[in-house]
Amino acid sequence: MEAMRRTVLGILAALFLLPATACTITTEDPGYVAPPPLPALQQLEQAALVDPAPFRAGEDILSFVTEDRDIVCSLTSARGEHVNLPYEQNNFSDGANNKLATVPVAHCELAKYPKPAAADVKDDCAGTGLGYLGGTALLTPESATYGGCRSGVTQMEAAYGPKGNKTGPITQLPVLAKGQNLERNGLRCSAYNGGVACGNVSAGVGFFVARESYELISEGSKASSPARPGAPKTP
């Protein structure tokens, strides 16, 4: 009888213990403050690299868009000013440019973007001083620039800008998810903090671009140019 009583008590104890151990109650800490995002070069150095195979968009080119479809980037090559992009017309393969050195680059375009700061305007646009627009960023192994001379919209704006048609080659590119990191020929790009960072970690150069701001990084000195309220962001 005593043994049966101990058995019944043991079963009851197990039944009461089971729900207590099988359920986890999570309460939100009102005092918790999320840590700030890493600086761009630290993100590129520390984030794990992903398999590049799904992002191949041509011979020796890696291309992606961000989840919000605001930024498209390619880790590719350039000959002089001619960048080899699978979604933009270019003269990279023109025989006349074969004499130019081929260098690895990272190139990004934005659907919505801030204006370039005056200090970051690097071209007088054939002497006119007009037509230097934001919305593009270029990284070489030694430098990073934002904006360039052009008329009209980029392919990213044509696809996903304010008047975008949601068609074209960019719409077929894979998404680089938040926190993921790609590398080609020593240059890396990572989607994080609402934008994209690209950089040459060993040289300490790179850029961060997002809808409202951008940052150019060179050997530890940073020049950040946030978008000005009300400033036009597209031509």
Side-chain angles (χ1 to χ4, degrees), residues 112-121 132-134 146 210-214 224-234:
K112 302 180 184 66
Y113 50 84
K115 293 176 62 175
D120 295 329
V121 175
Y132 195 96
L133 304 174
Y146 178 75
R211 181 176 298 199
E212 298 297 335
S213 65
Y214 72 93
S224 182
S225 304
R228 293 174 238 169
K233 299 180 176 61
T234 56

Side-chain angles (χ1 to χ4, degrees), residues 53-199:
F55 300 93
R56 298 201 184 281
E59 185 177 352
D60 207 22
I61 301 174
L62 304 179
S63 297
F64 65 88
V65 295
T66 52
E67 288 179 312
D68 61 5
R69 302 303 193 278
D70 197 53
I71 306 173
V72 62
C73 298
S74 288
L75 287 158
T76 181
S77 299
R79 290 177 179 148
E81 62 182 14
H82 308 290
V83 182
N84 191 17
L85 297 172
Y87 39 81
E88 290 271 7
Q89 289 188 347
N90 60 82
N91 294 321
F92 176 83
S93 299
D94 191 319
N97 297 319
N98 289 342
K99 61 184 179 181
L100 300 174
T102 301
V103 298
V105 298
H107 182 275
C108 293
E109 295 180 5
L110 292 88
K112 302 180 184 66
Y113 50 84
K115 293 176 62 175
D120 295 329
V121 175
K122 303 301 182 183
D123 197 317
D124 65 4
C125 301
T128 66
L130 301 173
Y132 195 96
L133 304 174
T136 63
L138 179 68
L139 171 75
T140 72
E142 299 175 346
S143 65
T145 56
Y146 178 75
C149 295
R150 72 170 192 274
S151 60
V153 299
T154 64
Q155 287 299 312
M156 188 59 183
E157 289 178 86
Y160 290 112
K163 298 180 180 179
N165 53 29
K166 308 296 189 298
T167 62
I170 288 179
T171 65
Q172 306 302 313
L173 295 177
V175 169
L176 186 68
K178 182 180 178 180
Q180 290 188 332
N181 202 6
L182 275 174
E183 182 177 45
R184 175 189 174 273
N185 289 354
L187 304 184
R188 294 184 175 188
C189 286
S190 182
Y192 93 117
N193 193 25
V196 171
C198 294

